[in-house]
Amino acid sequence: MMRTERCSIERMTDKDILSIRRLYADEDVRRYLGGVKTDLDFEGLMAVMGQQLQWAVRDLKDGTFFGGVSLSTHHNGQDTEVSYQFLPEHWGKGYAKEAVAAVLTHGFQKLELHRIVAETQVLNDRSCRLLENLGMRVEEEVERFGARQAIYALTREEWLVSS
């Protein structure tokens, strides 16, 4: 488990299925992530998530579910990718930045990763700003999932200098 000033970040479990359903069913959350997914096999999704590093982000005070952050293999098959989804009622409050920063620190310090990437649609201004505010830089743009995607990257050395 990780903690920040306001967040508890802990491994997702089956108890998170209802919260994960909310993430995948929310049009705003899924606008740049391929659209709403209401027909997913969430129990099967939890099994797949168990093979990745998936964390639920909650309010440290009362346990309210804010969203999720993960580390998994990027589409290129080489890099580790940080991904995140947060419920809209928690946007603009700094929770995503706080949680993603904690996961980046975990990845670089505890897992001894040398590089972490993030992929987001170029049109997703909020996500692009978040990644840039964390010190990530656009390394390349690709066409994937029917949209232009920005691939952001950050090295361990860059993170240690900036944090």
Side-chain angles (χ1 to χ4, degrees):
M1 180 195 308
M2 294 171 265
R3 289 180 189 260
T4 68
E5 184 178 324
R6 302 176 298 159
C7 301
S8 167
I9 305 163
E10 49 196 68
R11 291 295 298 263
M12 284 193 184
T13 67
D14 289 343
K15 72 177 182 173
D16 296 308
I17 289 176
L18 292 177
S19 297
I20 294 166
R21 282 183 199 266
R22 283 189 60 214
L23 285 171
Y24 279 87
D26 190 286
E27 289 181 19
D28 290 327
V29 171
R30 301 294 303 168
R31 176 171 288 124
Y32 300 105
L33 296 171
V36 169
K37 307 276 188 207
T38 56
D39 58 348
L40 283 178
D41 169 10
F42 286 92
E43 286 76 12
L45 181 63
M46 290 304 297
V48 170
M49 286 181 171
Q51 299 167 14
Q52 304 170 354
L53 292 174
Q54 297 273 346
W55 293 277
V57 180
R58 303 179 194 289
D59 187 308
L60 192 57
K61 292 179 185 172
D62 66 11
T64 298
F65 181 87
F66 292 153
V69 181
S70 68
L71 287 174
S72 59
T73 303
H74 183 255
H75 299 287
N76 66 16
Q78 297 173 336
D79 289 310
T80 298
E81 178 180 11
V82 64
S83 301
Y84 44 88
Q85 295 183 74
F86 283 74
L87 293 169
E89 61 265 29
H90 306 297
W91 292 358
K93 299 176 182 172
Y95 297 125
K97 183 178 179 185
E98 207 171 300
V100 174
V103 170
L104 289 172
T105 297
H106 178 79
F108 289 129
Q109 291 181 355
K110 301 284 187 200
L111 303 178
E112 299 182 357
L113 298 172
H114 296 287
R115 173 180 148 94
I116 298 176
V117 300
E119 182 170 334
T120 189
Q121 278 191 27
V122 172
L123 295 176
N124 189 345
D125 293 331
R126 284 176 168 258
S127 188
C128 291
R129 272 195 317 274
L130 169 68
L131 296 171
E132 290 162 7
N133 286 333
L134 289 167
M136 298 187 94
R137 69 199 176 321
V138 176
E139 189 169 78
E140 69 177 303
E141 289 187 12
V142 298
E143 185 77 24
R144 194 181 342 262
F145 312 118
R148 197 84 189 134
Q149 308 286 330
I151 311 294
Y152 284 81
L154 184 67
T155 65
R156 181 180 196 187
E157 293 76 23
E158 291 167 332
W159 181 248
L160 294 174
V161 167
S162 69
S163 58

